[in-house]
Amino acid sequence: MCSVDTKHTLTSQAVYRGVEGPTLSAVIKVCVDGGANRLHDLAGSERERFIPDFISGDLDSAFPTVLEFYKNKGSDIIHTPDQDYTDFTKSTQLLLGKLLEKKEQVDIILAVGGLGGRFDQIMASIETLCHMQTADAPPIIVIQQNSLACLLLPGSHTLSVNTGIEKGWCGLIPIDGSCDHVTTSGLKWNLVDQRLQFGVLVSTSNTLDGSGIVHVTTDAPLLWTMGLKNAV
Ligand SMILES: Cc1ncc(C[n+]2csc(CCOP(=O)(O)OP(=O)(O)O)c2C)c(N)n1
Ligand SMILES: O=c1ccn([C@@H]2O[C@H](COP(=O)(O)O)[C@@H](O)[C@H]2O)c(=O)[nH]1
């Protein structure tokens, strides 16, 4: 029997809004260490429109000139030297603290980057999601290039996958041990009270069935991943 204690609804429209208009809709904008260099480069002539509220990390990657630029524009520079946790984990903890302080309710935390390049860093990005497993924390959605990842907590989840930016492929990955009771609808290969576990069964190369809604019920944390059309 599956124990279900929470219900969550996730919509990729929230992702879409976050990507389309971060200056309009993001309550707090954050850069993680070297991410500040990337923002500085990518924003180019629109740099003034994309000023992070804070930049945090061990600050071994952000260029001093970039930190100075954002500091002069009002960004807080927060040094987090702890070498037992990644800069992403530490910045997400800071962000959750600030949301709590401000008593802000947000739909999602959208992290851009972290799913490409160094494999240890990709795994660390996913591990960061495991640190943030509290029922009152908003879902953290990580996107990079054509991939999205989000940790589903134990409970029932309704995923709205009907914005047109979904690519079609998806997966359910039991990153935190075994998920003994997983039931889904909305997929080409659905699960009915089945176990997902590495070495037993992992749902990769699955496909949305076109209905626009995916339901997932799981008794243990389960990573949802899917393809996006528009590379970020
Ligand atoms: C068992 C163990 N393995 C590895 C480390 C090292 N370590 C873990 S997180 C971390 C900080 C990583 O910093 P970040 O800027 O997020 O990544 P970087 O680009 O420096 O690799 C370090 C050094 C450790 N403290 N403990
Ligand atoms: O290849 C990478 C490098 C970094 N990240 C993420 O960025 C932060 C900060 O890393 P710095 O190298 O100190 O700038 C790191 O915690 C990762 O979350 C990455 O995803 N991939």
Side-chain angles (χ1 to χ4, degrees):
M1 185 62 192
C2 174
S3 124
V4 178
D5 52 14
T6 51
K7 280 195 192 300
H8 309 273
T9 302
L10 261 186
T11 129
S12 33
Q13 254 140 7
V15 176
Y16 199 52
R17 277 203 309 273
V19 175
E20 278 280 294
T23 52
L24 298 175
S25 57
V27 171
I28 301 183
K29 301 174 284 294
V30 182
C31 282
V32 184
D33 204 353
N37 301 337
R38 299 273 295 155
L39 176 66
H40 193 262
D41 278 357
L42 286 171
S45 60
E46 297 218 82
R47 209 166 273 155
E48 306 273 336
R49 282 186 58 217
F50 298 92
I51 305 298
D53 294 281
F54 70 85
I55 299 169
S56 70
D58 52 11
L59 304 181
D60 60 348
S61 306
F63 301 135
T65 49
V66 168
L67 290 179
E68 198 55 30
F69 172 83
Y70 286 118
K71 194 174 168 193
N72 288 335
K73 297 288 170 199
S75 304
D76 277 342
I77 312 296
I78 306 175
H79 187 214
T80 55
D82 187 333
Q83 292 297 292
D84 283 338
Y85 298 99
T86 65
D87 286 344
F88 180 40
T89 298
K90 292 175 284 181
S91 73
T92 310
Q93 276 159 346
L94 279 172
L95 174 60
L96 288 176
K98 284 185 187 291
L99 289 173
L100 215 64
E101 227 173 70
K102 286 174 163 244
K103 297 191 171 50
E104 286 281 3
Q105 296 271 350
V106 299
D107 295 334
I108 59 163
I109 294 173
L110 181 64
V112 179
L115 298 179
R118 278 174 48 187
F119 187 67
D120 68 329
Q121 289 281 20
I122 297 172
M123 292 304 287
S125 300
I126 301 303
E127 201 264 344
T128 296
L129 305 183
C130 295
H131 281 279
M132 310 300 156
Q133 293 181 56
T134 59
D136 52 349
I140 303 175
I141 296 182
V142 186
I143 56 173
Q144 181 166 2
Q145 293 166 342
N146 296 110
S147 295
L148 172 154
C150 176
L151 190 63
L152 305 179
L153 297 182
S156 284
H157 302 265
T158 301
L159 314 177
S160 300
V161 287
N162 55 358
T163 60
I165 61 168
E166 299 80 9
K167 212 165 183 184
W169 67 261
C170 60
L172 284 163
I173 306 178
I175 53 164
D176 198 9
S178 114
C179 298
D180 292 332
H181 301 279
V182 181
T183 299
T184 66
S185 64
L187 305 177
K188 181 169 178 186
W189 286 274
N190 282 302
L191 298 155
V192 183
D193 198 14
Q194 274 166 276
R195 176 190 293 174
L196 292 180
Q197 186 183 345
F198 278 77
V200 177
L201 178 67
V202 170
S203 176
T204 54
S205 300
N206 211 328
T207 311
L208 304 175
D209 72 0
S211 62
I213 298 279
V214 173
H215 291 287
V216 180
T217 300
T218 177
D219 63 330
L222 181 60
L223 191 81
W224 165 254
T225 181
M226 69 175 196
L228 300 177
K229 275 182 193 152
N230 300 334
V232 180

